[in-house]
Amino acid sequence: MLEIKCQDISVRCCSAVLENGVRTLSADQERALDIIIRTFENQVKDVETQITSDTDRFHTTLCRLNIQMFHMYKNPTVSNSGSLARLLATACTVIDTVAELGKKQGSLPATPLHLFSSLMLATFTLLRILKSTVSRDLDAERAKTSLFLGINLAKQISTDTNDGAAKCVTILNQLWNSSKAFKKPDGTDAPLRIRSRLLLSPVLDAVWWWRDEFDAQYKAFMPSHNEPSDGNVLFNDARLLPQLTSESGADPSRDNPGVSSHNHSTILSERQEPLHLDDQFLANFEWSLGDDGLFAPTEPYGAMWPSTTNII
């Protein structure tokens, strides 16, 4: 019953945010968004009084993450470090909770899909926050520790080099080491370019940033809007799973026992298969292969709504 209540709060919050607008937010719309987020956060507090187990606490924390996620829809030029600080803390808690649940169950490869999706939502959120200029005003060390833990958990969940968890690990690793990710050409923070997927938009937006930088030829493999997909889109990046390094070049596992103790300063020496993001991987995120809903890096922030092809 508590989980259903949390789901209901998340759905109603999404509906309210969508009605307020998600593509281009004016100052009044951003203030309205703050009110919406506070209203539904208070509803989560009410549900938290009914917590009776660690699983209940996970559902309420995830619900809070779902709500706070909409702070990322704001104009990045507007200072909102306070909002992002709360979002950062919630994302870290979600990752820590998944790690604890994994220890109790003792079988991370058997992690349910909704738990894995929650882990990725929190991990990609931390990645984007850490890549932003506002991260210097936040608890970056805690965020890094949780980011590395989230990546390591995804590695443990993965059972094959080409499954969804392994692909997410690749994307997270390469974007972490990227100097271009989530940045405009002038070096300032870029807004979300995918805004039609509500709670999952930050995850899908990160995947698009990865495709832009690490597979410049991906469009050559994309089916046209008038042709059916062959269900197997190839990405020609043979450097699968590059090793994770911190910005300082230090080994993140040294101070974080939750991270694998591999040498993170070097790239894997063994040959890896090219990374495939096929229809099934994208379908897990309810995402079509078309790019009509993409907010181009050079497109003005005040652009019109994208084609509705990928919004439904």
Side-chain angles (χ1 to χ4, degrees):
M1 183 61 68
L2 181 141
E3 182 179 356
I4 292 175
K5 289 180 180 179
C6 289
Q7 293 286 354
D8 178 67
I9 292 173
S10 295
V11 170
R12 287 189 289 106
C13 179
C14 286
S15 298
V17 170
L18 187 60
E19 183 176 353
N20 182 60
V22 293
R23 180 61 171 181
T24 305
L25 302 183
S26 64
D28 288 339
Q29 285 176 305
E30 290 204 359
R31 285 191 289 269
L33 179 61
D34 282 332
I35 294 174
I36 292 171
I37 292 174
R38 286 198 301 269
T39 298
F40 286 99
E41 279 192 279
N42 288 333
Q43 294 184 23
V44 177
K45 290 181 181 179
D46 293 338
V47 175
E48 284 179 326
T49 61
Q50 306 171 30
I51 290 176
T52 59
S53 67
D54 291 339
T55 303
D56 287 348
R57 187 168 299 281
F58 167 76
H59 289 304
T60 56
T61 305
L62 176 59
C63 185
R64 177 174 283 106
L65 177 65
N66 291 342
I67 295 168
Q68 293 176 342
M69 184 66 60
F70 288 112
H71 284 301
M72 301 185 75
Y73 279 73
K74 297 177 181 177
N75 190 330
T77 61
V78 178
S79 176
N80 60 346
S81 58
S83 302
L84 291 181
R86 295 193 299 274
L87 175 58
L88 182 152
T90 304
C92 290
T93 301
V94 168
I95 294 174
D96 292 342
T97 303
V98 172
E100 289 300 318
L101 290 174
K103 290 179 181 179
K104 290 181 179 179
Q105 299 298 326
S107 181
L108 279 170
T111 299
L113 181 59
H114 78 278
L115 207 64
F116 169 69
S117 298
S118 304
L119 174 66
M120 289 299 95
L121 179 62
T123 306
F124 276 102
T125 296
L126 292 180
L127 174 68
R128 192 177 191 106
I129 291 176
L130 285 170
K131 284 293 187 178
S132 69
T133 56
V134 76
S135 63
R136 60 180 177 268
D137 301 322
L138 306 175
D139 190 353
E141 289 306 314
R142 181 188 180 189
K144 288 179 183 178
T145 299
S146 294
L147 172 65
F148 300 151
L149 176 58
I151 294 174
N152 188 54
L153 289 171
K155 289 180 181 179
Q156 297 179 55
I157 291 172
S158 175
T159 58
D160 184 83
T161 57
N162 201 41
D163 62 14
K167 291 170 183 175
C168 285
V169 169
T170 300
I171 294 169
L172 286 162
N173 281 345
Q174 293 186 338
L175 288 180
W176 169 252
N177 289 301
S178 169
S179 60
K180 301 177 182 178
F182 314 122
K183 298 292 184 183
K184 293 181 179 179
D186 61 3
T188 59
D189 295 336
L192 283 175
R193 295 184 292 168
I194 292 180
R195 291 168 169 256
S196 60
R197 291 301 183 181
L198 297 175
L199 299 179
L200 280 179
S201 288
V203 177
L204 305 181
D205 189 78
V207 174
W208 275 101
W209 279 100
W210 178 86
R211 296 175 76 171
D212 284 347
E213 181 172 356
F214 295 98
D215 190 3
Q217 298 181 350
Y218 79 89
K219 287 187 177 180
F221 296 94
M222 295 285 287
S224 69
H225 298 299
N226 297 322
E227 297 176 358
S229 168
D230 63 1
N232 190 23
V233 180
L234 173 65
F235 292 80
N236 293 330
D237 191 346
R239 298 171 299 168
L240 185 61
L241 300 180
Q243 291 298 321
L244 179 68
T245 57
S246 65
E247 291 177 345
S248 62
D251 183 353
S253 65
R254 181 180 58 190
D255 301 316
N256 182 11
V259 179
S260 175
S261 60
H262 296 303
N263 180 5
H264 293 282
S265 62
T266 60
I267 296 179
L268 287 176
S269 58
E270 58 267 31
R271 182 177 178 83
Q272 299 287 352
E273 294 298 324
L275 175 59
H276 294 73
L277 298 192
D278 54 22
D279 283 352
Q280 184 56 52
F281 175 76
L282 301 177
N284 286 339
F285 295 104
E286 299 179 352
W287 185 33
S288 69
L289 289 173
D291 59 358
D292 286 345
L294 179 64
F295 196 4
T298 56
E299 185 178 356
Y301 188 63
M304 297 295 291
W305 269 88
S307 165
T308 58
T309 302
N310 291 334
I311 297 178
I312 303 303

